[in-house]
């Protein structure tokens, strides 16, 4: 891979996305072995810098790095001022001085990973920045879709909900468009970003119209923590118009998948029975997240110094 950082799906070519997916496919079986690790990144130090809440992404990166035998140091700065100006730079310089080989960063500020990449000379991996990007989420999602559906060219993926506040949606649409999928967005008009028509996706007014032709329905979490005004009348109204329940599930073709990045608001964007149904691949997404993050860590750390990696 020609990249030195993974900050945005925009920086990837279709071939690079395929390379990540193919590498993840090779690495996935490691999890099924009795000994769940390989020595590939032994001696490397990966720093998990989580400046915003996270459960699955933080643990997923942790497990991924450990399966490759890297050392992991975790740094969460909840409540501190590390995300602000000079002190963010100081954090970066401190990490540099400690000799870390890679930084995985999650931040509530869009652009923090890019900023960090200017301070540090080691690979920076974006684990979600503000409303901007969440590239490994998109990669694990397309990996999961590809496992079930094969080549995604011409497949139709319906993304539903809070597109405006969603870094997942931004990354997801870019990855799907790169792989030739058709993307349809369905959302309350107040939760669609301006200039969404430039994303390369189609906007459809209602779910009932698009579900019968969907290969995947991808539900976004209603991002309450990012809503500082009313974007829809009530939660009930939201669920009635944009949520997926058993009746809507029945509109999907037999083979279609239900996906969600987590954490879910059961009863809001998805009902419990849909989340737990046989169509849902939500827990597979979590499992695949580890293989995809292993692939990205491997490709980023190996591309910088291939001779140091004993694969
Ligand atoms: C997503 C995130 O944090 O952007 N979750 C995740 O990484 N698993 C989606 C969300 O919070 O809605």
């Amino acid at each position: 891979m020609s990249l030195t950082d993974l900050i945005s799906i925009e920086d990837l070519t279709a071939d690079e996305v395929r390379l990540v997916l193919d590498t993840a496919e090779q690495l996935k079986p490691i999890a099924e072995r009795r000994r769940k690790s390989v020595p590939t990144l032994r001696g490397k130090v990966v720093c998990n810098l989580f400046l915003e809440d996270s459960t699955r992404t933080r643990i997923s990166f942790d497990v991924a790095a450990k399966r490759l035998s890297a050392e992991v140091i975790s740094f969460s700065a909840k409540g501190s001022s590390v995300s602000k100006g000079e002190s963010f730079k100081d954090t970066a310089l401190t990490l540099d001085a400690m000799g870390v080989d890679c930084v995985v960063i999650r931040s509530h500020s869009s652009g923090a990973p890019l900023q960090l990449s200017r301070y540090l000379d080691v690979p920076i991996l974006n684990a979600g920045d503000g409303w901007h990007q969440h590239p490994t989420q998109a990669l694990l999602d397309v990996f999961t879709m590809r496992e079930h559906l094969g080549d995604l060219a011409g497949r139709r993926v319906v993304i539903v909900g809070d597109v405006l506040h969603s870094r997942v949606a931004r990354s997801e649409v870019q990855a799907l468009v790169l792989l030739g999928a058709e993307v349809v967005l369905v959302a309350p008009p107040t939760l669609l970003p301006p200039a969404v028509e430039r994303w390369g996706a189609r906007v459809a007014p209602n779910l009932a119209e698009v579900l019968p032709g969907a290969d995947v329905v991808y539900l976004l979490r209603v991002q309450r923590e990012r809503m500082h005004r009313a974007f829809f009348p009530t939660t009930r109204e939201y669920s009635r118009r944009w949520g997926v329940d058993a009746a809507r599930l029945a509109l999907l073709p037999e083979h279609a998948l239900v996906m969600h990045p987590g954490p879910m608001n059961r009863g809001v964007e998805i009902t419990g029975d849909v989340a737990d149904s046989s169509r849902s691949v939500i827990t597979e997404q979590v499992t695949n997240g580890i293989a995809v993050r292993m692939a990205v860590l491997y490709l980023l750390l190996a591309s910088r110094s291939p001779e140091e990696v004993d694969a």
Side-chain angles (χ1 to χ4, degrees), residues 34-207:
R34 204 151 44 85
R35 187 180 166 79
K36 292 187 168 62
S37 66
V38 289
T40 314
L41 297 184
R42 182 171 291 154
K44 299 274 183 187
V45 179
V46 174
C47 174
N48 275 340
L49 178 62
F50 276 68
L51 307 173
E52 188 199 87
D53 293 349
S54 169
T55 321
R56 72 202 71 217
T57 305
R58 186 168 49 77
I59 296 173
S60 182
F61 270 109
D62 205 54
V63 174
K66 285 176 177 154
R67 288 210 175 137
L68 294 171
S69 303
E71 278 172 57
V72 181
I73 49 174
S74 293
F75 184 91
S76 48
K78 196 156 168 54
S80 87
S81 60
V82 288
S83 58
K84 292 179 195 158
E86 196 64 5
S87 62
F88 180 61
K89 182 173 180 181
D90 281 339
T91 307
L93 297 178
T94 305
L95 295 176
D96 199 27
M98 288 177 180
V100 300
D101 296 299
C102 171
V103 181
V104 177
I105 174 174
R106 162 158 301 192
S107 170
H108 56 259
S109 331
S110 301
L114 183 64
Q115 190 62 29
L116 192 63
S117 73
R118 294 186 177 132
Y119 296 140
L120 290 187
D121 198 25
V122 297
I124 305 299
L125 236 156
N126 184 0
D129 64 329
W131 301 10
H132 175 229
Q133 279 278 324
H134 194 352
T136 58
Q137 180 69 46
L139 292 167
L140 75 89
D141 290 335
V142 293
F143 180 89
T144 306
M145 292 179 205
R146 201 178 76 155
E147 267 194 334
H148 285 270
L149 304 169
D151 187 1
L152 297 183
R155 293 292 193 170
R156 181 184 293 174
V157 180
V158 178
I159 299 178
V160 191
D162 186 358
V163 180
L164 177 67
H165 300 106
S166 176
R167 54 193 175 211
V168 173
R170 283 172 182 75
S171 294
E172 195 86 9
V173 173
Q174 287 168 0
L176 287 165
V177 168
L178 267 181
L179 297 179
E182 183 200 342
V183 186
V184 183
L185 301 172
V186 184
T190 48
L191 289 175
L192 278 171
V196 71
E197 63 283 351
R198 281 194 242 133
W199 287 22
R202 175 164 79 84
V203 176
N206 68 67
L207 274 175

